[in-house]
Amino acid sequence: MTSAATDSKITLASAPGKVLVVGGYLVLDRNHTGLVVGTNACLYSTVQTTALDLSNSNYAFGDADVPITVISPQFESAWWKYAFDTKANTLTQYDSADQGSNGFVQVVLQTTLALVNTCSPGALYTLLANPAPAQHRAGLKILLTADNDFYSQREALAKIGAKLTSQSLKQLPAMAKTGKTLGNVHKTGLGSSAAMVTSLVASILVHFGVLNKHDLCENNKQSCTTTKGMQLVHNIAQYAHCLAQGKVGSGFDVSAAVYGSHVYRRFSPTVLEAAMSENSSIAELVQATSPENIGWNSEVAPVVIPPRLTLRLADVDTGSNTPSMVKKVLLWQKSNPEQAALLWASLDAANNYIGQVWSSLVDASCSNSTEYNSAIDWCSVRPSSEWKNGMDAVGNPTRALLVNLVDGILRVRQLQRELGENAGVPIEPPKQTRLLDACMAVPGVCMAAVPGAGGYDAIFCIVLSQASGNAVERVWSEWTEMSVGPLLAKQASSGVSVLDSELYPSLTAMLE
């Protein structure tokens, strides 16, 4: 219930999902980079200042406690209630739907509210001063929602007797209920936890005025690495995500959620050591997450998929244990340093080559759009194996670049298979090889591979036309060796954004 006397301010932030096109395993090492593409599938965090009903609560609220309710209506039994003590800078969960916890949400709330309370101490006290009806108190209501692509929709389609196609997916309601608990839902690998953490950090910082909404504006296309606001969101989100996971990972998924599509070089883990220690202080947290902290030495070089090239994603209903795969690869690398160093160097060169060809294609589209579009049109109706036929590289520079792109991704895949065989890990297992080869044989497909750490979870293709995308989807729907389903997500350049909540009435309605 919202009191008319309470400032019912609403802040809505979104963060995109990600696809690590090339750079799996190498992105863990600061000596190498990964090319990560942001998607137009996003996770949304909506924060509202409202009067919360405490009449049924057994928790003894102190005068300095801010009540917080978090709901995630796409899941069964997904709400959590907290109290944030503004004097002690501590968060306590006092209730939930199933008496369970949400570690990622809890860490973000504890971290971000403690930083808000320390850096802008009046903000939370102003919230508490809002008038509220009897047995109510001014607090925060937080709504967490996601576009459908973050979670498998196979069961939802089966229930309505629909085929596993893009057209069927478009018939489902936006932000559809999964019918699952958060712990049992089948995720599609777009990085939901990183996107949730990032959007929630951003929404809280903007809600309390630590950042201005224009620091994180809708469809922000500028080089975000130059803004301190984006860096602050990045640093806090990286810290919270690492703390919730219990380890410092590569950080590419959070970086993609903040900055969108880019070439990523990881930060040195030492920047978080003090703040992640068991007895760390708020001062160490402020220092660790500050945009002025030179320990944040990650590198972000914005990138776009060349014009008329479209990312297509598929969810493969088999699944892999990514942490186990990573552990085995790193163990092999440690046990075979010389062989691994040579393979890492080869993979790094092959990965970088993909980014270079993309950049050259973008340049070609700008310098001679007529030749560029003619080459795209010609290649889009022929399989890539025919693109070299009768080609004069001087007269067909775009076609030559597209041939190079095909050769480049085939080289990456070859090296990924070699790494998998050496480490005893199914990075591109034979089943996936057969599927990817079938995709590459479709006219107008210039790239097809397993993203990230590989395995059986997913594949991506990059196509030159809508017809090519439709043909690829037909291959997926007719594939019998594995169940392969499309996602609706495409590439997007922008990262974390603050949106106008009035343009999203279905979200604000969920807060009522």
Side-chain angles (χ1 to χ4, degrees):
M1 175 179 174
T2 302
S3 166
T6 302
D7 173 20
S8 63
K9 172 184 174 184
I10 296 176
T11 305
L12 169 61
S14 69
K18 53 72 187 172
V19 179
L20 185 62
V21 173
V22 292
Y25 301 100
L26 273 69
V27 76
L28 293 163
D29 186 339
R30 192 170 146 69
N31 292 316
H32 306 289
T33 60
L35 196 167
V36 59
V37 172
T39 70
N40 59 359
C42 293
L43 201 138
Y44 305 85
S45 293
T46 311
V47 179
Q48 180 186 36
T49 297
T50 188
L52 296 176
D53 185 353
L54 305 181
S55 59
N56 294 321
S57 171
N58 294 322
Y59 186 76
F61 279 86
D63 292 341
D65 288 344
V66 176
I68 303 165
T69 296
V70 179
I71 57 174
S72 191
Q74 287 169 274
F75 303 105
E76 299 294 318
S77 303
W79 57 261
W80 304 268
K81 294 185 177 182
Y82 307 92
F84 182 79
D85 186 337
T86 55
K87 290 182 179 178
N89 264 346
T90 55
L91 183 80
T92 301
Q93 177 182 315
Y94 67 87
D95 199 5
S96 70
D98 58 2
Q99 304 308 307
S101 62
N102 185 323
F104 284 96
V105 168
Q106 193 155 341
V107 168
V108 172
L109 292 177
Q110 170 65 64
T111 300
T112 313
L113 290 173
L115 287 168
V116 167
N117 200 36
T118 302
C119 301
S120 299
L124 289 169
Y125 292 108
T126 300
L127 182 153
L128 282 171
N130 279 316
Q135 295 187 308
H136 289 66
R137 178 178 294 206
L140 298 175
K141 190 169 188 180
I142 298 175
L143 173 71
L144 302 176
T145 51
D147 286 326
N148 289 341
D149 270 350
F150 281 93
Y151 314 112
S152 175
Q153 303 300 322
R154 294 169 185 272
E155 289 190 17
L157 294 178
K159 285 180 180 178
I160 60 174
K163 293 182 179 180
L164 191 58
T165 66
S166 293
Q167 289 304 313
S168 297
L169 290 171
K170 291 175 183 176
Q171 304 308 310
L172 294 176
M175 304 178 193
K177 292 183 180 295
T178 64
K180 304 279 188 180
T181 63
L182 184 57
N184 292 328
V185 72
H186 177 84
K187 298 182 179 181
T188 60
L190 291 182
S192 58
S193 63
M196 185 280 291
V197 166
T198 300
S199 64
L200 184 52
V201 168
S203 61
I204 292 172
L205 293 179
V206 172
H207 195 76
F208 287 106
V210 175
L211 292 181
N212 187 291
K213 66 180 180 180
H214 299 297
D215 293 331
L216 313 171
C217 61
E218 186 172 10
N219 297 322
N220 189 349
K221 294 287 197 299
Q222 70 186 85
S223 178
C224 298
T225 55
T226 62
T227 68
K228 289 185 178 180
M230 299 295 282
Q231 185 70 46
L232 179 62
V233 172
H234 170 269
N235 296 356
I236 297 173
Q238 290 284 18
Y239 166 82
H241 197 252
C242 291
L243 192 62
Q245 286 187 317
K247 64 177 182 178
V248 180
S250 71
F252 84 87
D253 44 3
V254 169
S255 190
V258 176
Y259 298 117
S261 301
H262 62 278
V263 175
Y264 174 74
R265 189 184 302 278
R266 70 158 305 149
F267 58 88
S268 299
T270 52
V271 72
L272 291 177
E273 281 183 356
M276 287 186 67
S277 63
E278 188 173 346
N279 298 313
S280 62
S281 65
I282 185 65
E284 287 171 320
L285 178 58
V286 170
Q287 167 62 22
T289 56
S290 169
E292 309 294 341
N293 186 342
I294 60 174
W296 289 104
N297 53 4
S298 55
E299 297 174 15
V300 174
V303 70
V304 294
I305 293 181
R308 298 188 60 185
L309 275 65
T310 303
L311 177 71
R312 295 299 304 268
L313 298 169
D315 167 38
V316 181
D317 193 28
T318 301
S320 300
N321 187 332
T322 299
S324 174
M325 292 170 65
V326 172
K327 185 177 180 179
K328 287 182 178 179
V329 168
L330 295 181
L331 181 62
W332 174 81
Q333 181 190 25
K334 184 177 180 180
S335 302
N336 303 271
E338 293 183 3
Q339 185 183 3
L342 290 173
L343 184 51
W344 252 238
S346 297
L347 263 169
D348 190 51
N351 294 341
N352 290 337
Y353 185 68
I354 298 296
Q356 292 162 10
V357 175
W358 277 17
S359 180
S360 296
L361 282 167
V362 172
D363 292 343
S365 72
C366 296
S367 62
N368 190 337
S369 61
T370 301
E371 185 276 332
Y372 180 87
N373 286 316
S374 176
I376 296 289
D377 290 340
W378 191 92
C379 292
S380 68
V381 295
R382 295 169 174 82
S384 60
S385 59
E386 298 180 9
W387 293 355
K388 291 180 181 179
N389 295 346
M391 185 185 71
D392 175 6
V394 175
N396 300 274
T398 299
R399 227 168 103 191
L401 287 169
L402 290 170
V403 169
N404 291 343
L405 186 57
V406 171
D407 291 342
I409 196 61
L410 292 178
R411 173 64 172 161
V412 169
R413 287 179 54 198
Q414 173 198 341
L415 292 168
Q416 285 179 326
R417 289 193 297 270
E418 183 180 338
L419 173 59
E421 290 166 5
N422 289 338
V425 170
I427 296 175
E428 188 190 292
K431 285 185 178 181
Q432 290 283 54
T433 297
R434 289 188 284 273
L435 174 59
L436 294 170
D437 288 347
C439 293
M440 288 298 296
V442 172
V445 175
C446 60
M447 293 181 70
V450 289
Y456 293 95
D457 288 332
I459 66 167
F460 74 86
C461 295
I462 294 183
V463 301
L464 303 182
S465 68
Q466 179 65 47
S468 300
N470 293 341
V472 163
E473 187 172 327
R474 283 195 294 274
V475 170
W476 296 346
S477 65
E478 295 169 2
W479 202 253
T480 57
E481 194 171 12
M482 296 180 292
S483 175
V484 185
L487 301 183
L488 296 178
K490 305 293 192 298
Q491 71 266 25
S493 296
S494 58
V496 63
S497 305
V498 172
L499 309 177
D500 183 349
S501 61
E502 293 184 359
L503 300 179
Y504 296 81
S506 60
L507 286 180
T508 53
M510 295 183 197
L511 289 167
E512 297 175 358

